[in-house]
């Protein structure tokens, strides 16, 4: 796929993504990200870095093995979801086949407390609860909710039940 996204007068190209994918270790990947995205605000989770590319997209970079697993799960979860299910999931535009990186729709997040309240309200809807169970998204990820337009979107749904058991011992 050929694409370019402007990042504060910097362009991310397939060449940069290939360099990220070709990193021989997680440490090398993180150091490359730091050098390529100097001055760009990054959100850091236990498994991934999230870098805003522009107003519409973010780049999620795996920091370790659980980040690789989460990127792959998120990509496949979106790819194989129904139209109904995709209403609630932030769109995945592209990803590396080994889970090194993923480009996802940027969502305006709610506070943690509001996300928890929305999660509880949404899980009371049988169709939404069935979707979460079918996709095997761990319930603690569902409070990562934001909004695009007027639609609620889960933007961090890479934690499946099996990934939680493997890496987080839930």
């Amino acid at each position: 796929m050929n694409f370019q996204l402007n990042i504060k007068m910097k362009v991310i190209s397939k060449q940069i993504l290939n360099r990220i994918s070709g990193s021989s270790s997680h440490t090398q990947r993180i150091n490359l990200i730091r050098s390529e995205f100097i001055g760009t605000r990054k959100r850091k989770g236990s498994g991934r870095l999230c870098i805003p590319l522009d107003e519409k997209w973010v780049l999620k970079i795996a920091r370790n093995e659980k980040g690789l697993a989460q990127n792959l799960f998120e990509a496949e979860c979106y790819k194989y979801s129904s139209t109904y299910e995709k209403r609630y999931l932030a769109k995945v535009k592209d990803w590396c086949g080994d889970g090194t990186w993923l480009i996802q729709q940027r969502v305006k997040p709610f506070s943690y407390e509001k996300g928890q309240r929305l999660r509880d309200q949404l899980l009371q809807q049988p169709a939404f609860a069935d979707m979460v169970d079918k996709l095997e998204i761990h319930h603690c990820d569902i409070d990562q909710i934001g909004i695009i337009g007027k639609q609620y979107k889960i933007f961090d749904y890479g934690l499946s039940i099996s990934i939680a058991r493997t890496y987080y011992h839930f």
Side-chain angles (χ1 to χ4, degrees):
M1 178 171 104
N2 290 325
F3 63 89
Q4 293 184 340
L5 297 169
N6 291 322
I7 311 166
K8 295 183 183 174
M9 299 176 27
K10 182 172 181 63
V11 175
I12 186 167
S13 65
K14 202 63 169 178
Q15 290 82 12
I16 293 172
L17 293 175
N18 286 339
R19 286 179 52 212
I20 293 168
S21 299
S23 300
S24 59
S25 69
H26 298 301
T27 302
Q28 184 184 30
R29 182 178 317 122
I30 298 307
N31 289 336
L32 176 63
I33 294 304
R34 287 184 179 134
S35 68
E36 288 291 337
F37 298 97
I38 293 172
T40 304
R41 186 169 181 231
K42 302 164 194 72
R43 291 183 65 191
K44 183 167 83 168
S46 65
R48 303 186 283 182
L49 281 175
C50 184
I51 303 164
L53 297 176
D54 61 20
E55 295 301 314
K56 294 184 180 183
W57 303 102
V58 296
L59 175 64
K60 293 183 176 184
I61 304 289
R63 298 178 56 219
N64 48 40
E65 295 299 317
K66 61 185 168 183
L68 292 171
Q70 288 174 313
N71 275 350
L72 284 174
F73 179 76
E74 210 161 83
E76 291 181 2
C77 187
Y78 187 81
K79 180 179 179 179
Y80 296 110
S81 291
S82 69
T83 303
Y84 172 81
E85 294 159 348
K86 287 179 180 176
R87 282 182 29 195
Y88 292 103
L89 303 175
K91 180 180 181 177
V92 174
K93 180 176 185 164
D94 196 11
W95 68 93
C96 180
D98 68 359
T100 306
W101 56 265
L102 174 137
I103 296 175
Q104 186 183 63
Q105 190 176 26
R106 190 172 180 178
V107 175
K108 181 179 178 184
F110 292 122
S111 69
Y112 178 72
E113 294 79 17
K114 185 169 183 175
Q116 286 184 317
R117 285 193 308 272
L118 285 170
R119 174 198 62 200
D120 294 344
Q121 289 172 9
L122 289 169
L123 285 172
Q124 289 177 12
Q125 299 174 17
F128 184 85
D130 289 346
M131 174 197 80
V132 169
D133 290 343
K134 177 186 161 217
L135 297 177
E136 297 185 354
I137 299 171
H138 197 282
H139 285 210
C140 72
D141 244 7
I142 300 169
D143 57 16
Q144 301 294 315
I145 295 178
I147 194 162
I148 297 176
K150 295 181 180 181
Q151 180 62 49
Y152 295 133
K153 297 279 186 174
I154 303 169
F155 60 88
D156 183 7
Y157 51 93
L159 184 61
S160 69
I161 293 168
S162 64
I163 292 171
R165 286 184 188 132
T166 303
Y167 295 102
Y168 296 91
H169 309 293
F170 287 149

